[in-house]
Amino acid sequence: MSVTYKHPRPALAVDCVVFGLDEEDLKVLLIRRGVEPFAGRWALPGGFVHEDETLDEAARRELREEAGIEKVYLEQLYTFGAVDRDPRERVVSVTYYALVKLSEHAVRAATDAREAAWFAIDDLPRLAFDHEEIVDKAIARLRGKVRYAPIGFELLPKKFTLTQLQRVYEKVLGQELDKRNFRKKVAATGLLIELDEVEQDVAHRAARLYTFDEKTYRKLEKEGFLFEI
């Protein structure tokens, strides 16, 4: 016996907060809307969920279609369901945050987006819908999780210096960290592989390069290891 629901149902959408890090700032990817409501206003990449896809699939599709971004760290964030959050109709949004290596992603606007661009988290334009609230929630989640999970490495190239690693944590946390203490904590994790390579084409003394030992981390994680910086 089949059961159908006759009561009105809200539309379901996904919105994504995409973080990237350059030499200066932690940044968020925004798209300029090409359609109403809020045409011309900056907003997060996102859209409605199709009948035949999961939430994760919808989030990845929207990132691909609106900004040309694929294969990123993606995690569900929070559900936003204020009755008046969308002037068109009742819309519930399941939000995500993603971490990308800027050097590996050349964003491009597509579908209903006029333009796609990166903005520093402390210099964002006025956003459409409730997207400012979503960004604030994502920043808080990122700052909390980066202390106990190695997601900060998702913002770095595969090979990096300890200075670059420290800069990730300083930009994400919004505070300066003691160099000696930071490196001591990093060394204690045992999850960095020191490479027989140094930086190339730099004006200063070339620093040693490292890479994150993800295979060892996954093994230790199953054994109850706690990552902490």
Side-chain angles (χ1 to χ4, degrees):
M1 178 178 178
S2 61
V3 178
T4 59
Y5 296 96
K6 299 183 181 302
H7 66 276
R9 288 173 285 176
L12 182 63
V14 290
D15 290 296
C16 303
V17 184
V18 185
F19 292 107
L21 186 74
D22 63 12
E23 294 298 323
E24 301 296 330
D25 299 291
L26 179 65
K27 295 189 172 183
V28 170
L29 177 66
L30 301 177
I31 59 101
R32 191 188 292 276
R33 289 179 57 79
V35 297
E36 294 292 350
F38 304 109
R41 184 86 64 84
W42 290 100
L44 297 170
F48 293 105
V49 178
H50 294 172
E51 290 283 350
D52 61 348
E53 63 185 354
T54 67
L55 293 171
D56 285 11
E57 289 170 346
R60 293 188 182 280
R61 173 182 54 77
E62 287 293 342
L63 286 178
R64 182 176 65 254
E65 292 181 352
E66 289 199 332
I69 287 181
E70 298 187 72
K71 297 180 181 179
V72 297
Y73 175 91
L74 188 70
E75 182 177 327
Q76 196 172 120
L77 173 66
Y78 195 76
T79 300
F80 289 78
V83 174
D84 59 352
R85 65 177 303 274
D86 191 313
R88 293 168 293 187
E89 60 179 323
R90 180 83 163 91
V91 178
V92 173
S93 178
V94 178
T95 61
Y96 286 78
Y97 74 97
L99 305 177
V100 304
K101 299 173 176 62
L102 286 184
S103 60
E104 298 179 6
H105 296 275
V107 299
R108 52 175 172 76
T111 62
D112 59 353
R114 290 184 189 174
E115 183 182 356
W118 294 96
F119 291 83
I121 61 171
D122 57 358
D123 191 26
L124 297 178
R126 185 183 177 194
L127 302 183
F129 305 104
D130 55 356
H131 289 186
E132 291 175 15
E133 183 181 355
I134 295 174
V135 171
D136 288 343
K137 178 74 73 172
I139 292 173
R141 172 73 66 82
L142 178 60
R143 285 176 172 168
K145 188 161 185 177
V146 78
R147 292 184 178 275
Y148 67 85
I151 60 174
F153 293 98
E154 299 290 342
L155 297 167
L156 286 167
K158 185 175 181 180
K159 300 176 183 180
F160 52 84
T161 67
L162 293 180
T163 297
Q164 289 175 317
L165 178 60
Q166 182 171 337
R167 184 168 58 83
V168 165
Y169 280 85
E170 289 180 334
K171 293 300 182 180
V172 170
L173 297 174
Q175 64 185 69
E176 290 187 8
L177 301 174
D178 179 77
K179 180 178 178 180
R180 180 176 297 179
N181 188 48
F182 177 81
R183 296 194 176 193
K184 181 179 179 181
K185 287 183 176 181
V186 168
T189 68
L191 296 173
L192 292 191
I193 299 174
E194 183 175 350
L195 303 175
D196 190 23
E197 300 177 49
V198 296
E199 291 178 292
Q200 300 294 319
D201 303 318
V202 292
H204 53 78
R205 180 182 177 184
R208 178 71 59 184
L209 292 175
Y210 295 79
T211 191
F212 176 62
D213 191 347
E214 183 172 1
K215 183 177 181 180
T216 297
Y217 171 70
R218 296 304 174 193
K219 179 182 177 181
L220 292 174
E221 185 181 34
K222 292 180 179 179
E223 298 171 359
F225 170 81
L226 294 178
F227 179 90
E228 184 178 1
I229 293 292

